[in-house]
Structure formats: structure tokens, C-alpha cells
Amino acid sequence: MSLIVCRDLVKTYRLGEMDVHALLGVSLTIDTGEFVAVMGASGSGKSTLMNILGCLDVPTAGTYILEGTDVSTLGENRLAEIRNSKIGFVFQNFNLIPRTTALENVQLPLFYRGIPAHEQKALALRALERVGLADRQRHHPAQLSGGQQQRVAIARALVTDPSIILADEPTGNLDSQASREIMETLTQLNREGITIILVTHEAEIAGYARRAITMKDGVILSDRNAGGVAVARVVPQEVRA
Amino acid sequence: MNFLLMTVVVAFRVLARNRMRSALTMLGIIIGVGAVIAMVSIGEGAKAAVQAQIASFGTNVITILPGSMTLSGVRTGHGGAVTLTIADMEELKKIPGVTYAGWGRRDAMQVVHENKNWFTTINAVSPDYLVIRAWTALNGEFFTQTEMDTAAKVVLLGNTILKNLFEPGEDPMGAMIRIKNMPFKVVGTLEAKGYDTRGNDQDDVVFIPFTTAERKIMGTKFMGSIGAGYLSAESPEQMAQVVDEVQRVLRQRHKLRPDQDDDFTVRNQIDIAKVQEGTSESMKLMLLAVASISLLVGGIGIMNILLVSVTERTREIGIRMAVGAKRRHILLQFLVEAVVLSAMGGLIGVGLGVAGAQAASNIAGWPTIISADILLIAFGFSALVGIFFGLYPANKASQLNPIEALRYE
Ligand SMILES: Nc1ncnc2c1ncn2[C@@H]1O[C@H](COP(=O)(O)OP(=O)(O)OP(=O)(O)O)[C@@H](O)[C@H]1O
Ligand SMILES: [Mg+2]
């Protein structure tokens, strides 16, 4: 069974009189343990796709099946639970809660899981150890470098032991040295079995992945594995206006 | 429950981060609650003091004074004629609904015990006077009829006299004191009553039998003329009717023509009590208005600062939603912050109110009563204000779109 099966995903935003089509029929299958890079020009719909895959948003049309569950039929509360248990987000701008320690930031998903505080702490500390920041647990985001902040964000994403980590341009705000460290961390996590889907503009970053999807104007243009072999035939769906 | 507790902890931390802002936000509630508690405590204290004073006057007492009361409250005799006598009182005692009739007259004189002396009020009274005016013997007995009939030289001492004429611990019973150089035997001491509504020390008095004063101490122009008469009615309901009857009987006995004014004044204790109750009712309404307005203002302050906070923390809300917070978690978080703010404000307000009331009684000497009820009610209300005014911002926060919230700059 595939981890992610999307069929004909459409996302349309209504801006006044005008419809903006962010996704125009995306079909995609991703298996457990894959490391996928999503590339494409600005505005091609990468973030929109990531938000839907992360259950932060729902598609206008199409189906999304995550671990056998048709997510498009679920209510908000169930989606929140899925985000909490199956998905970890890593954002370009880190998105840590300011003036809150690294440890507490990492604890946050566990907090909403309602587990006892001491268990939250223990698990969060272990996640920080995995990204090599156990000695920075009491630092606030402002007291950490960009790369360190992003590693705290990765710790927060993996603390719940998720099926997927969704990283939308995780190295977008980092220099090449920090970028390399982040990518090595993600690669390591992928080796440990976590599926990773990563949005990036840089070919070098995409090189860490074993599969690259390229988007253009809301459709998938190409979908190749590391060897350049097409993974799936890409058939953009005709969209009715 | 666990989650709620953790949310409370988080709320405290968030509010502690903006210490100054939180303090200023709470100020409205603090001042409101504090003022209400201080005012209620002082008001209740004043009310209780007035009630105690009214009670110390005796219950259902009707006072009859010779002479008539003019509008300005000045009492004028009628050509110096004697207008109220023991015979009048004996007659008034027969009115249905009257339980006791007593009388007295007073004068200020020097009383001496050994090497101490004290200038005080000598109140010459009939035995029932003491019953009507709710005096209680601490030691000894009230005057007996025999003592009255024989004009015995016996005296009852008020508490203030005891302190001023006797050493602490000295037993006054049976001691001899001198009034106008005449020896009087102390046959009893009276329980302290404190101050009356006009601030006079009610215990600065000695009582002697009316007859003794009339015949041996004060003299009289006319045997049986009295300074004041007192009746006690069986029940408060009967008082008005007894007053009417007193008026009728006295006018008849004094042979007053219909066109003549009363040559006496009848005062009903209930009228005084009613005036007091009226003022405390309007005081209560005022308090309620002040409390409502200050809590309203405080609540709006909380709502305002929470709306600012929701905007400031839009990204944080998005992050929380992204990692799995449900809408109700976000709602609860901001609601708890509102309630923590208002309840803390309420708590501090309660503290300040109690301190203010205490200061009023310590510094200004006002009687205050701090009841646990009012503290709880004030605190409960401030918490409710938090819920009420927190609901709108909290709901606004919980309805944010997670993606837009995450993008918010
Ligand atoms: N909330 C929205 N309302 C209206 N249009 C939107 C909204 N979000 C995205 N869009 C539109 O959808 C399209 C795809 O946006 P998306 O953010 O997915 O692009 P992207 O591929 O992530 O671009 P970038 O590389 O710049 O991040 C864009 O044309 C954008 O303007
Ligand atoms: Mg994007």
C-alpha cells in the first residue's frame, strides 16, 4: 500500500471575480521511505500541493488518500489529529514560537497530544539529540543561528514519530554550509525510514533526494528518479473552467 | 484536565512576558473590584453600627418629650408650664399594645469616689426605663419598687464611670460614691452600650431612682414632672397605632383645644431606622452601578489587549494549528489568558479592597465588615468578565485559517 495516493487534485482560489488555479489536476503516488524533491517555478503550486499533502488545506476537487484513509472526507478535528500524529512540517522561515525555549518548541506537538509533561520533555529532548542540539534546549529562537533554528524545527517535526516530513524550502533562508547540514540531517532521517517530501529551487538541494517532481502552472511536468528514469507517466487533466 | 492545567501555566508565562501590559490591562478590574470591596465593607460596617446603635436604644421604643418640636427641630416649652408628668405616663401605660412605660430626667453633676471624681450625667429613672432602653445589669440588680418608694440613695454605674472612678479590678459593688455630697450605695453596674447614633458615649452615666432625684438631689418645680417618657410597644406593627393613641390621650389630658398645637413631642424609633435603611438601599444601587461600570471598562480593556495579542501572535496560532492544535485548543488558550488576566485582577482587587477597608478602620476608625461572600462574589464576577470579554478574541483566534496565519508577517 502506498503512503500517499493523490488523484486529480485541483485547488482553486477565488479572488473577487477571478479564479486562481493553484493546482490543475495533480495525480501522484508516494511510497513509504521515499525522499522526494518538488521543484518548479515560483507560483507553480508547490506550496499549495504541500499544504494539501500536510492536511493544512483541502483540495477543491480530487482525492487524497493518506495511509489508506481518504483525507478529503475528514473534518477539521480529524485533520488536526492527522497533522499531529502523521505529519511533520519544516518551513522556510523556521516558524518557531518566539521567546519560547527550543525544548518547549519541540514539545508543542506532544502538548496537543495531551501526554504528561515529563514524557513530553523526555521525547523532546531525544528529538533534539537526534538533530544534535541537546545542549541548546534552553535557548530561545533568537539565541540560535538560522541553521540551528531549522534543526529545532526538524526536531519538532520528528518528535511525534511521523510518517512524513514535509519541508517547504527548508534551506531557502540558509547559507550553503547550514543548508548542507540540514540536508544531511534530513537524509539521515530518511535512512531511518521517514518519508521526506521537500520543496526546493536549487538543483544541488534536490540532488539529496532520490526522486524529483517538477511542477509548472499547477500540473506535474516531470517525475523522475535519481537515475533520470520517469517514475510515472504524467497526464495533466483537462480542467473545466 | 491535564491539558487545561498546562494551558493555564502557558497563559501565566505569556502574560508574564508582557508584564507591564498585563498589569495595565488588569488595572480596570483591580480598581473596580478593590473599590467595590472597600465600599461594601465600609457600608456594611456602617450599617451594622447603626443597627447596633438602634438596638441599643431598645426595641419598639416610643419617646415622649415635653414641649413641642418646631420645624427647625428646636423644642419649646409652653410658657414654662409642666407638660409631661408621671400621671400622664401611668395613663399611657393603659393603651393597648404598650408593654412598659418608663420615665426619667437628667442633669449633669459631679460624682466622687474616694479621691477620684468625674463629671457625668445623672439619669434619674423609673425601674422600667432601664428595661425599655435595653440596659442589662452586669452586676447587681435594677432598682426595686421599695427603693423607688423610699427614695433610696442607691446608684447604678455605667461602664465609663466604672473606669473613671474605680481602680482596675476594684469591686464597685456596695461601694459608696457621693453625688452633691450625699452618699449613694452602688447596687449594680451596667453592660457597656458604646456610642449612640450622634456619637455620644452612652455609658458615661449613672442611674439613680427617679424619686430620690426629685426629693433629694435635683428638686422639682412640680412633683411628678418628668424630662422624658418612654413606652415600648409589643411589636413594630403596633407602633404607629400606639403613637396616635398617645397623641389623643395626651391632648385630652392636657385639655388642648383643636386649634392648639401639641405641647409634647412623640418620636417613633422605627422612623429613624427607616431613614437609615433608605440610605443604605440607594448606597447599594450606587455601588452596583460603580461595580458594573468598572467591570465593564475592565472587561473591554481585556478584550482590546487580547485582540492585539491575537494579531501579534497570528503566526504562532498558525504554527500551533500546523502541529495539531484543534480550533478548541486555540479558543481555550486565549480564553484562559483572558480569565487569568481578569481573575488575577480580581484577586489583587480583593486584596487591595480588604487592605483599603482595613486602613479605613485602622486610620479613620470607621467600623468595617469584610464578608467572605462579597469577596467570593467579586472574584467570581471578575472571572466571568474574563470569560465574557475573552470569548470574542478567542473565537477570532480559533477561526483563523492556518495557512494564512502561517504566512502572516
Ligand atoms: N490564498 C491564496 N489566495 C489566492 N491565490 C493563492 C493563494 N495561495 C496561493 N495562491 C496562488 O496559487 C498559485 C500557487 O501558489 P504556491 O504558493 O503554491 O506557489 P509556489 O509554487 O509555492 O511558489 P513559490 O516557489 O514562490 O513558493 C500562485 O499563483 C498563487 O498566487
Ligand atoms: Mg511556496
Side-chain angles (χ1 to χ4, degrees), chain A residues 13 15 20 22 40-49 169 201, chain B residues 404 407:
Chain A
Y13 293 106
L15 279 179
V20 179
S42 187
S44 58
K46 305 182 294 292
S47 294
T48 306
L49 177 63
E169 302 189 41
H201 286 288
Chain B
E404 281 166 21
R407 278 211 200 116

